[in-house]
Coordinates of all heavy atoms in Angstrom, one line a residue:
E1 N -21.1 -23.1 18.6 CA -19.8 -23.7 18.7 C -18.9 -23.3 17.5 O -17.8 -22.9 17.7 CB -19.9 -25.3 18.7 CG -18.7 -26.0 18.6 CD -17.9 -26.0 19.9 OE1 -18.5 -25.8 21.0 OE2 -16.7 -26.2 19.9
F2 N -19.5 -23.4 16.3 CA -18.8 -23.0 15.1 C -18.4 -21.5 15.1 O -17.2 -21.1 14.7 CB -19.6 -23.3 13.8 CG -18.9 -22.9 12.5 CD1 -17.9 -23.6 12.0 CD2 -19.3 -21.8 11.9 CE1 -17.2 -23.2 10.9 CE2 -18.7 -21.3 10.7 CZ -17.7 -22.1 10.2
F3 N -19.3 -20.7 15.5 CA -19.0 -19.3 15.4 C -18.0 -18.9 16.5 O -17.2 -17.9 16.3 CB -20.3 -18.5 15.5 CG -21.2 -18.6 14.4 CD1 -22.4 -19.2 14.4 CD2 -20.8 -18.1 13.1 CE1 -23.2 -19.4 13.3 CE2 -21.5 -18.2 12.0 CZ -22.8 -18.8 12.1
T4 N -18.0 -19.5 17.6 CA -17.0 -19.2 18.6 C -15.7 -19.6 18.2 O -14.7 -18.9 18.5 CB -17.4 -19.8 20.0 OG1 -18.3 -20.9 19.8 CG2 -18.0 -18.9 21.0
H5 N -15.6 -20.8 17.6 CA -14.3 -21.2 17.1 C -13.8 -20.3 16.0 O -12.6 -20.0 16.0 CB -14.4 -22.7 16.7 CG -13.1 -23.2 16.2 ND1 -12.0 -23.4 17.0 CD2 -12.7 -23.6 14.9 CE1 -11.1 -23.9 16.3 NE2 -11.4 -24.0 15.1
S6 N -14.7 -19.9 15.1 CA -14.3 -19.0 14.0 C -13.8 -17.7 14.5 O -12.9 -17.1 14.0 CB -15.5 -18.8 13.0 OG -15.8 -20.0 12.4
A7 N -14.5 -17.1 15.5 CA -14.2 -15.8 16.1 C -12.8 -16.0 16.7 O -12.0 -15.0 16.7 CB -15.2 -15.4 17.1
E8 N -12.5 -17.0 17.5 CA -11.3 -17.2 18.1 C -10.1 -17.3 17.1 O -9.0 -16.8 17.3 CB -11.2 -18.5 19.0 CG -12.2 -18.3 20.2 CD -12.3 -19.6 21.0 OE1 -11.7 -20.7 20.6 OE2 -12.9 -19.6 22.1
L9 N -10.4 -18.1 16.0 CA -9.4 -18.2 15.0 C -9.1 -16.9 14.3 O -7.9 -16.5 14.1 CB -9.9 -19.2 13.9 CG -8.9 -19.5 12.7 CD1 -7.7 -20.1 13.2 CD2 -9.7 -20.4 11.7
L10 N -10.2 -16.2 13.9 CA -10.0 -14.9 13.4 C -9.2 -13.8 14.3 O -8.3 -13.1 13.9 CB -11.3 -14.2 13.0 CG -11.3 -12.9 12.3 CD1 -10.5 -13.0 10.9 CD2 -12.6 -12.3 12.0
E11 N -9.6 -13.9 15.6 CA -8.9 -13.1 16.6 C -7.4 -13.4 16.7 O -6.6 -12.6 16.9 CB -9.5 -13.3 18.0 CG -9.0 -12.3 19.0 CD -9.8 -12.5 20.3 OE1 -11.0 -12.6 20.3 OE2 -9.1 -12.7 21.3
S12 N -7.1 -14.7 16.5 CA -5.6 -15.0 16.6 C -4.9 -14.8 15.3 O -3.6 -14.6 15.4 CB -5.5 -16.5 17.0 OG -6.0 -17.3 15.9
I13 N -5.5 -14.7 14.1 CA -4.7 -14.6 12.9 C -4.8 -13.1 12.3 O -4.2 -12.8 11.3 CB -5.0 -15.6 11.8 CG1 -6.5 -15.5 11.3 CG2 -4.8 -17.0 12.4 CD1 -6.7 -16.3 10.1
W14 N -5.7 -12.3 12.8 CA -5.9 -11.0 12.1 C -4.6 -10.1 12.1 O -4.4 -9.5 11.1 CB -7.1 -10.2 12.7 CG -6.8 -9.5 14.0 CD1 -7.1 -9.9 15.3 CD2 -6.2 -8.2 14.2 NE1 -6.7 -9.0 16.2 CE2 -6.1 -7.9 15.5 CE3 -5.7 -7.2 13.3 CZ2 -5.5 -6.8 16.1 CZ3 -5.2 -6.1 13.8 CH2 -5.1 -5.9 15.2
P15 N -3.8 -10.2 13.1 CA -2.6 -9.4 12.9 C -1.7 -9.9 11.8 O -1.1 -9.0 11.1 CB -1.8 -9.6 14.3 CG -2.9 -10.0 15.2 CD -3.9 -10.8 14.5
H16 N -1.7 -11.1 11.5 CA -0.9 -11.7 10.4 C -1.6 -11.3 9.1 O -0.8 -11.0 8.1 CB -0.8 -13.2 10.5 CG -0.2 -13.7 11.8 ND1 1.1 -13.5 12.2 CD2 -0.8 -14.2 12.9 CE1 1.3 -14.0 13.3 NE2 0.2 -14.4 13.8
L17 N -2.9 -11.3 9.0 CA -3.6 -10.9 7.8 C -3.3 -9.4 7.5 O -3.1 -9.0 6.4 CB -5.1 -11.1 7.9 CG -5.5 -12.7 8.0 CD1 -7.0 -12.7 8.3 CD2 -5.1 -13.3 6.7
F18 N -3.4 -8.6 8.6 CA -3.1 -7.2 8.4 C -1.7 -6.9 7.9 O -1.4 -6.1 7.0 CB -3.4 -6.5 9.8 CG -3.2 -5.0 9.7 CD1 -4.1 -4.2 9.2 CD2 -2.1 -4.4 10.2 CE1 -4.0 -2.8 9.1 CE2 -1.9 -3.1 10.2 CZ -2.9 -2.2 9.6
A19 N -0.7 -7.6 8.5 CA 0.7 -7.5 8.1 C 0.9 -7.9 6.6 O 1.6 -7.3 5.9 CB 1.7 -8.4 9.0
A20 N 0.2 -9.0 6.3 CA 0.4 -9.5 4.9 C -0.3 -8.5 3.9 O 0.3 -8.2 2.8 CB -0.3 -10.9 4.7
A21 N -1.4 -8.0 4.3 CA -2.1 -6.9 3.4 C -1.3 -5.8 3.3 O -1.1 -5.1 2.2 CB -3.5 -6.6 3.9
S22 N -0.6 -5.3 4.4 CA 0.3 -4.2 4.4 C 1.5 -4.4 3.5 O 1.9 -3.4 2.8 CB 0.7 -3.8 5.9 OG 1.7 -2.9 5.9
M23 N 2.1 -5.5 3.6 CA 3.3 -5.8 2.8 C 2.9 -5.8 1.3 O 3.7 -5.3 0.5 CB 3.9 -7.2 3.3 CG 4.4 -7.2 4.6 SD 5.9 -6.3 4.8 CE 7.0 -7.6 4.3
L24 N 1.8 -6.4 1.0 CA 1.3 -6.4 -0.4 C 1.1 -5.1 -0.9 O 1.5 -4.7 -2.0 CB 0.0 -7.3 -0.5 CG -0.5 -7.5 -1.9 CD1 0.4 -8.3 -2.7 CD2 -1.9 -8.1 -1.8
L25 N 0.4 -4.2 -0.2 CA 0.2 -2.8 -0.5 C 1.4 -2.1 -0.7 O 1.6 -1.3 -1.7 CB -0.7 -2.1 0.5 CG -1.4 -0.9 0.1 CD1 -2.3 -1.1 -1.1 CD2 -2.2 -0.3 1.3
M26 N 2.4 -2.3 0.2 CA 3.7 -1.6 0.0 C 4.5 -2.1 -1.3 O 5.1 -1.3 -2.0 CB 4.7 -1.9 1.2 CG 4.3 -1.1 2.5 SD 5.5 -1.2 3.7 CE 6.0 -2.9 3.8
G27 N 4.4 -3.4 -1.5 CA 5.1 -3.9 -2.7 C 4.4 -3.4 -4.0 O 5.2 -3.0 -4.9
V28 N 3.1 -3.4 -4.0 CA 2.4 -2.9 -5.3 C 2.8 -1.4 -5.5 O 3.1 -1.0 -6.6 CB 0.9 -3.1 -5.1 CG1 0.2 -2.3 -6.3 CG2 0.6 -4.6 -5.2
A29 N 2.7 -0.6 -4.4 CA 3.0 0.8 -4.5 C 4.4 1.1 -5.0 O 4.7 1.9 -5.9 CB 2.6 1.6 -3.2
S30 N 5.3 0.3 -4.3 CA 6.8 0.5 -4.7 C 7.1 0.1 -6.1 O 7.8 0.8 -6.9 CB 7.6 -0.3 -3.7 OG 7.5 0.2 -2.4
A31 N 6.4 -1.0 -6.6 CA 6.6 -1.4 -8.0 C 6.0 -0.4 -8.9 O 6.7 -0.1 -10.0 CB 5.9 -2.8 -8.2
H32 N 4.9 0.2 -8.6 CA 4.3 1.2 -9.5 C 5.3 2.4 -9.6 O 5.4 3.0 -10.6 CB 2.9 1.5 -9.0 CG 2.2 2.5 -9.9 ND1 2.4 3.9 -9.9 CD2 1.3 2.2 -10.9 CE1 1.6 4.4 -10.8 NE2 1.0 3.4 -11.5
L33 N 5.8 2.8 -8.4 CA 6.7 3.9 -8.3 C 7.9 3.7 -9.2 O 8.3 4.6 -10.0 CB 7.2 4.1 -6.9 CG 6.4 5.0 -6.0 CD1 6.6 4.7 -4.5 CD2 6.6 6.4 -6.3
V34 N 8.5 2.6 -9.1 CA 9.7 2.3 -9.8 C 9.5 2.2 -11.3 O 10.2 2.7 -12.1 CB 10.4 0.9 -9.4 CG1 11.5 0.5 -10.4 CG2 10.9 1.1 -7.9
M35 N 8.3 1.7 -11.7 CA 8.0 1.6 -13.2 C 7.5 2.9 -13.8 O 7.8 3.1 -15.0 CB 6.9 0.5 -13.4 CG 7.5 -0.9 -13.0 SD 6.4 -2.2 -13.6 CE 4.8 -1.7 -13.0
Y36 N 6.8 3.7 -13.0 CA 6.1 4.9 -13.7 C 6.7 6.3 -13.3 O 6.4 7.2 -14.0 CB 4.7 4.9 -13.5 CG 4.0 3.7 -14.2 CD1 3.6 2.6 -13.4 CD2 3.9 3.6 -15.5 CE1 3.0 1.5 -14.0 CE2 3.3 2.6 -16.1 CZ 2.8 1.5 -15.4 OH 2.3 0.4 -16.0
K37 N 7.4 6.5 -12.3 CA 7.9 7.7 -11.8 C 9.1 8.1 -12.6 O 10.1 7.3 -12.6 CB 8.2 7.8 -10.4 CG 7.1 8.2 -9.5 CD 6.8 9.6 -9.6 CE 5.6 10.0 -8.8 NZ 5.0 11.2 -9.1
K38 N 9.2 9.2 -13.3 CA 10.3 9.5 -14.1 C 11.4 10.3 -13.4 O 12.6 10.1 -13.6 CB 9.9 10.4 -15.3 CG 9.1 9.7 -16.3 CD 8.6 10.4 -17.5 CE 7.9 9.5 -18.5 NZ 6.8 10.1 -19.0
D39 N 10.9 11.1 -12.4 CA 11.9 11.9 -11.5 C 12.4 11.0 -10.4 O 11.7 10.5 -9.6 CB 11.2 13.1 -11.0 CG 12.1 13.9 -10.1 OD1 13.3 13.7 -10.2 OD2 11.5 14.8 -9.4
T40 N 13.7 10.7 -10.4 CA 14.3 9.7 -9.5 C 14.1 10.2 -8.1 O 13.8 9.5 -7.1 CB 15.8 9.6 -9.7 OG1 15.9 9.1 -11.1 CG2 16.4 8.5 -8.9
R41 N 14.3 11.6 -7.8 CA 14.2 12.1 -6.4 C 12.8 12.0 -5.9 O 12.6 11.6 -4.8 CB 14.6 13.5 -6.5 CG 16.2 13.7 -6.6 CD 16.5 15.2 -6.8 NE 15.9 15.7 -8.0 CZ 15.8 17.0 -8.3 NH1 16.3 17.8 -7.5 NH2 15.2 17.4 -9.4
A42 N 11.8 12.2 -6.7 CA 10.4 12.1 -6.4 C 10.1 10.6 -6.0 O 9.4 10.3 -5.1 CB 9.4 12.6 -7.4
A43 N 10.6 9.7 -6.9 CA 10.4 8.3 -6.6 C 11.0 7.8 -5.4 O 10.3 7.1 -4.6 CB 10.9 7.5 -7.8
L44 N 12.2 8.2 -5.1 CA 12.8 7.9 -3.8 C 12.1 8.4 -2.6 O 11.9 7.8 -1.6 CB 14.3 8.4 -3.7 CG 15.2 7.5 -4.6 CD1 16.6 8.1 -4.7 CD2 15.3 6.1 -4.2
G45 N 11.6 9.7 -2.7 CA 10.8 10.3 -1.6 C 9.5 9.6 -1.4 O 9.2 9.2 -0.2
W46 N 8.8 9.2 -2.5 CA 7.6 8.4 -2.2 C 7.9 7.0 -1.7 O 7.1 6.5 -0.9 CB 6.8 8.3 -3.6 CG 6.0 9.6 -3.9 CD1 6.2 10.5 -4.8 CD2 4.8 10.0 -3.1 NE1 5.2 11.5 -4.7 CE2 4.4 11.1 -3.7 CE3 4.2 9.5 -2.0 CZ2 3.2 11.8 -3.2 CZ3 3.1 10.2 -1.5 CH2 2.6 11.3 -2.1
I47 N 8.9 6.4 -2.2 CA 9.3 5.1 -1.6 C 9.5 5.2 -0.1 O 9.1 4.4 0.7 CB 10.4 4.4 -2.3 CG1 10.0 4.0 -3.7 CG2 11.0 3.2 -1.6 CD1 11.0 3.4 -4.6
G48 N 10.2 6.2 0.3 CA 10.4 6.5 1.7 C 9.2 6.6 2.5 O 9.0 6.0 3.6
V49 N 8.3 7.4 2.0 CA 6.9 7.6 2.6 C 6.2 6.2 2.7 O 5.6 5.9 3.7 CB 6.1 8.6 1.8 CG1 4.7 8.7 2.3 CG2 6.7 10.0 2.0
V50 N 6.2 5.5 1.6 CA 5.5 4.2 1.6 C 6.1 3.2 2.6 O 5.3 2.5 3.3 CB 5.5 3.6 0.1 CG1 5.0 2.2 0.1 CG2 4.6 4.5 -0.8
L51 N 7.4 3.2 2.7 CA 8.0 2.3 3.6 C 8.0 2.7 5.0 O 7.8 1.8 5.9 CB 9.4 2.0 3.2 CG 9.7 1.3 1.9 CD1 11.2 1.2 1.6 CD2 9.1 0.0 1.9
M52 N 8.0 4.0 5.3 CA 7.9 4.4 6.7 C 6.5 4.5 7.3 O 6.4 4.2 8.5 CB 8.5 5.9 6.7 CG 10.0 5.9 6.4 SD 11.0 5.0 7.5 CE 11.1 5.9 8.9
V53 N 5.5 4.7 6.5 CA 4.1 4.8 6.9 C 3.4 3.8 6.0 O 2.7 4.3 5.1 CB 3.6 6.2 6.9 CG1 2.3 6.2 7.5 CG2 4.6 7.2 7.5
P54 N 3.5 2.5 6.2 CA 3.0 1.5 5.3 C 1.6 1.7 4.6 O 1.6 2.0 3.4 CB 3.1 0.2 5.9 CG 4.0 0.4 7.1 CD 3.9 1.9 7.4
I55 N 0.6 1.7 5.3 CA -0.8 1.8 4.7 C -1.1 3.2 4.3 O -1.5 3.4 3.2 CB -1.8 1.2 5.7 CG1 -1.4 -0.3 6.0 CG2 -3.2 1.4 5.1 CD1 -2.5 -1.3 5.9
L56 N -0.8 4.1 5.2 CA -1.2 5.5 4.9 C -0.3 6.0 3.8 O -0.8 6.8 2.9 CB -1.0 6.3 6.2 CG -1.4 7.8 6.0 CD1 -2.8 8.0 5.7 CD2 -1.0 8.6 7.3
G57 N 1.0 5.6 3.8 CA 1.9 6.1 2.7 C 1.4 5.6 1.3 O 1.5 6.4 0.4
A58 N 1.1 4.4 1.2 CA 0.6 3.8 0.0 C -0.7 4.5 -0.5 O -0.9 4.8 -1.6 CB 0.3 2.3 0.1
L59 N -1.6 4.8 0.5 CA -2.9 5.5 0.1 C -2.6 7.0 -0.3 O -3.2 7.4 -1.3 CB -3.8 5.5 1.3 CG -4.4 4.2 1.7 CD1 -5.3 4.2 3.0 CD2 -5.3 3.6 0.5
L60 N -1.7 7.6 0.4 CA -1.3 8.9 0.0 C -0.7 9.0 -1.5 O -1.0 9.9 -2.3 CB -0.3 9.6 1.0 CG -0.9 10.0 2.3 CD1 0.2 10.4 3.3 CD2 -1.9 11.1 2.2
Y61 N 0.2 8.0 -1.7 CA 0.8 7.9 -3.1 C -0.3 7.7 -4.1 O -0.3 8.3 -5.1 CB 1.8 6.7 -3.2 CG 2.3 6.6 -4.5 CD1 3.0 7.5 -5.2 CD2 1.9 5.4 -5.2 CE1 3.4 7.3 -6.5 CE2 2.3 5.2 -6.5 CZ 3.1 6.2 -7.2 OH 3.5 6.0 -8.5
G62 N -1.3 6.8 -3.7 CA -2.4 6.6 -4.7 C -3.2 7.9 -4.9 O -3.6 8.0 -6.1
L63 N -3.4 8.7 -3.9 CA -4.2 9.9 -4.1 C -3.4 11.0 -4.7 O -3.9 11.7 -5.5 CB -4.7 10.3 -2.7 CG -5.8 9.4 -2.1 CD1 -6.0 10.0 -0.7 CD2 -7.1 9.5 -3.0
F64 N -2.2 11.2 -4.2 CA -1.4 12.5 -4.7 C -0.2 12.2 -5.6 O 0.2 13.1 -6.2 CB -1.0 13.2 -3.4 CG -2.1 13.6 -2.5 CD1 -2.2 13.2 -1.3 CD2 -3.0 14.5 -3.0 CE1 -3.2 13.5 -0.4 CE2 -4.1 14.9 -2.1 CZ -4.2 14.4 -0.9
G65 N 0.3 11.0 -5.6 CA 1.6 10.8 -6.3 C 1.4 10.3 -7.7 O 2.4 10.4 -8.4
I66 N 0.2 9.8 -8.0 CA 0.1 9.3 -9.4 C -0.5 10.4 -10.2 O -1.6 11.0 -9.9 CB -0.9 8.0 -9.4 CG1 -0.3 6.9 -8.6 CG2 -1.2 7.7 -10.8 CD1 -1.1 5.7 -8.5
N67 N 0.2 10.8 -11.3 CA -0.4 11.8 -12.2 C -1.3 11.2 -13.2 O -0.9 10.3 -14.0 CB 0.9 12.4 -13.0 CG 1.4 13.5 -12.3 OD1 0.8 14.2 -11.5 ND2 2.6 14.0 -12.8
S68 N -2.5 11.5 -13.1 CA -3.5 10.9 -14.0 C -3.7 11.8 -15.2 O -4.2 11.3 -16.3 CB -4.9 10.8 -13.4 OG -5.4 12.1 -12.9
L69 N -3.2 13.0 -15.2 CA -3.2 13.9 -16.4 C -1.9 13.7 -17.1 O -0.8 13.8 -16.6 CB -3.3 15.4 -15.9 CG -4.6 15.7 -15.2 CD1 -4.6 17.2 -14.7 CD2 -5.8 15.5 -16.1
Q70 N -2.0 13.5 -18.4 CA -0.8 13.3 -19.2 C -0.5 14.6 -19.9 O -1.4 15.3 -20.4 CB -1.1 12.2 -20.3 CG -1.4 10.9 -19.7 CD -0.3 10.2 -18.9 OE1 0.9 10.5 -19.3 NE2 -0.5 9.5 -17.9
R71 N 0.8 14.9 -20.0 CA 1.2 16.1 -20.7 C 1.3 15.9 -22.1 O 1.7 14.7 -22.5 CB 2.5 16.6 -20.0 CG 2.4 17.1 -18.7 CD 3.9 17.5 -18.3 NE 3.8 17.9 -16.8 CZ 4.8 18.2 -16.1 NH1 6.0 18.2 -16.7 NH2 4.7 18.6 -14.9
R72 N 1.0 16.9 -22.9 CA 1.2 16.8 -24.3 C 2.6 17.1 -24.7 O 3.3 17.9 -24.1 CB 0.3 17.8 -25.0 CG -1.2 17.5 -24.8 CD -2.0 18.4 -25.6 NE -3.4 18.2 -25.4 CZ -4.4 18.9 -25.8 NH1 -4.1 20.0 -26.6 NH2 -5.6 18.7 -25.5
P73 N 3.1 16.3 -25.6 CA 4.5 16.4 -26.0 C 4.8 17.7 -26.7 O 4.0 18.4 -27.3 CB 4.8 15.3 -26.9 CG 3.6 14.7 -27.3 CD 2.5 15.2 -26.4

């Protein structure tokens, strides 16, 4: 009884959980972009990718958009 009720509840709210997680990921990626990208055109391009393709865009930005190597002055 408990597991059937839990499964029904999860089945009814998973789209909302997915949407909330997607919005959170977009917000975190966009905030990181605004704070750390120096090139405005690159930042706007990445924000477009993150907003147009929410989860995949944020993952792509995490993999390819963040410079982990720092340049020497």
Side-chain angles (χ1 to χ4, degrees):
E1 174 77 22
F2 175 74
F3 291 114
T4 20
H5 180 65
S6 297
E8 289 172 0
L9 180 64
L10 185 62
E11 187 177 311
S12 67
I13 67 167
W14 80 263
H16 303 289
L17 293 174
F18 183 77
S22 173
M23 298 284 279
L24 180 66
L25 195 57
M26 282 191 318
V28 168
S30 296
H32 188 275
L33 272 159
V34 168
M35 291 190 313
Y36 293 107
K37 273 288 182 199
K38 292 182 177 139
D39 183 15
T40 306
R41 291 174 295 168
L44 286 173
W46 276 113
I47 287 176
V49 170
V50 167
L51 293 179
M52 296 300 283
V53 189
I55 301 228
L56 183 62
L59 291 175
L60 287 173
Y61 171 68
L63 289 173
F64 302 115
I66 297 175
N67 268 344
S68 59
L69 298 175
Q70 299 295 326
R71 292 183 183 170
R72 294 185 185 175

